[in-house]
Amino acid sequence: LRGRPPVASPDTGNHKQATTMDGPDNDAEQLRKCRKACGFYQSKFSEVPALSSSDFLSGDYGNGVPSQAAAADDAGSIACRTVLVDVRTQPERAVSMIRDAISLEDFERMQPGSQNAQHPPARTDSMVVVTYCTIGYRSGLEARRLKDKYNLKGRIYSLDGIVAFTHALNDVRCVGSSQHSGTMDSHPQQEMHARFGGLVQPVASIQPAASGKPTNDVHVFAPQWSLAHSSFQATAYPTRQLVARFLQVAALVVGRTMEHLVHKLRSCLHRSPPRSHQD
């Protein structure tokens, strides 16, 4: 985002990027860069379907998921069945989360057999899980792991990130304000926007984030991903913390990649037929 240099935020240690309202041309360029970056990172995880923020807010997940939801007797709508999981770090979530998202830690505590269960077990047979991070890389890592661990094939997606989400939110607001009735085009879109259509600053120790305070602040992790819509205030980790944070992500990549390779090896061994012994 263009504007004044970042200034330190004394309460969080993040850097806030002051923005200027450069108009639709700059927002279009920011969105173009954002989509390019998201596409690059999401392409690293072919095992997990990529989902754009626009399709997410419209309830269009592809693969027939909405029709499956309609066919289920008690599963409810796609909005009711969606579990939105924020896989970012706590300092990032403290700035803002997508409304009604839960943390990765809370999601895992919801699963049957969790050692630290604090919520009723989730119905993994009917829910649709959507992970998100800043721009699509960490969410792909964690979505792949969750798919392997909880058998979520066909029911888990990696969102293009909270940065792209700011642009999708602005599009939805523009559509809503241009319609005299103030309604969206479709019932799934109405439900999705009613539940997830905003950013909130979560209340400490309360999940999901639906009860937080509405905000236009968004954490972009690093200045190079400060590509949010101009109506949002970008915050990034300060330079002195970035090296440590990037090393943390690198360690996450190594750990999650090893877990995935072990899972693939076990799957191959499980599928391999027993070798016959000849006399």
Side-chain angles (χ1 to χ4, degrees):
L1 293 176
R2 294 186 292 176
R4 299 187 300 275
V7 286
S9 176
D11 53 340
T12 63
N14 296 316
H15 278 183
K16 289 191 174 182
Q17 178 79 45
T19 63
T20 56
M21 303 299 285
D22 291 330
D25 290 341
N26 184 64
D27 281 330
E29 177 63 12
Q30 297 289 73
L31 178 58
R32 184 192 69 79
K33 293 178 180 178
C34 181
R35 284 175 172 168
K36 182 178 180 180
C38 293
F40 174 77
Y41 291 121
Q42 288 180 314
S43 69
K44 303 292 184 182
F45 306 98
S46 58
E47 308 92 336
V48 179
L51 183 64
S52 73
S53 293
S54 297
D55 286 344
F56 172 74
L57 283 173
S58 69
D60 181 13
Y61 292 10
N63 296 337
V65 170
S67 60
Q68 289 174 6
D73 292 335
D74 59 350
S77 68
I78 190 64
C80 293
R81 296 201 305 138
T82 295
V83 179
L84 184 60
V85 182
D86 190 327
V87 307
R88 301 174 301 156
T89 60
Q90 193 281 327
E92 294 170 88
R93 299 196 307 268
V95 172
S96 66
M97 298 173 67
I98 297 175
R99 191 168 65 211
D100 217 32
I102 63 173
S103 68
L104 177 62
E105 295 80 7
D106 278 349
F107 175 79
E108 300 229 50
R109 281 193 286 264
M110 291 168 57
Q111 303 314 306
S114 169
Q115 298 294 325
N116 301 302
Q118 296 181 5
H119 303 275
R123 284 192 54 186
T124 55
D125 59 331
S126 62
M127 69 181 178
V128 178
V129 180
V130 178
T131 60
Y132 78 92
C133 59
T134 303
I135 206 152
Y137 189 70
R138 288 174 292 172
S139 63
L141 274 174
E142 296 295 2
R144 186 175 65 184
R145 180 181 68 87
L146 295 176
K147 175 183 73 70
D148 293 344
K149 185 175 182 179
Y150 299 113
N151 192 27
L152 294 172
K153 184 177 181 180
R155 292 181 289 111
I156 188 163
Y157 299 81
S158 176
L159 197 65
D160 51 8
I162 198 170
V163 175
F165 193 80
T166 64
H167 292 273
L169 275 179
N170 182 73
D171 290 343
V172 170
R173 291 168 181 171
C174 290
V175 170
S177 63
S178 66
Q179 295 179 350
H180 296 295
S181 62
T183 59
M184 303 296 170
D185 292 333
S186 65
H187 186 60
Q189 188 175 8
Q190 292 177 43
E191 290 191 339
M192 292 298 290
H193 187 256
R195 182 176 174 192
F196 300 110
L199 300 185
V200 297
Q201 186 177 31
V203 177
S205 303
I206 296 180
Q207 293 287 350
S211 58
K213 177 183 178 182
T215 181
N216 281 339
D217 289 341
V218 58
H219 202 296
V220 298
F221 192 89
Q224 59 262 44
W225 297 309
S226 189
L227 302 170
H229 189 270
S230 59
S231 61
F232 290 81
Q233 174 74 56
T235 298
Y237 280 120
T239 304
R240 66 182 182 273
Q241 292 185 21
L242 270 179
V243 173
R245 290 298 178 180
F246 276 120
L247 288 174
Q248 185 180 35
V249 173
L252 180 70
V253 171
V254 172
R256 298 303 189 231
T257 301
M258 291 300 296
E259 289 180 42
H260 179 61
L261 292 176
V262 169
H263 175 81
K264 288 182 66 175
L265 179 60
R266 288 176 175 171
S267 297
C268 290
L269 292 175
H270 180 72
R271 289 196 301 266
S272 298
R275 299 178 62 181
S276 60
H277 297 281
Q278 298 180 352
D279 294 334

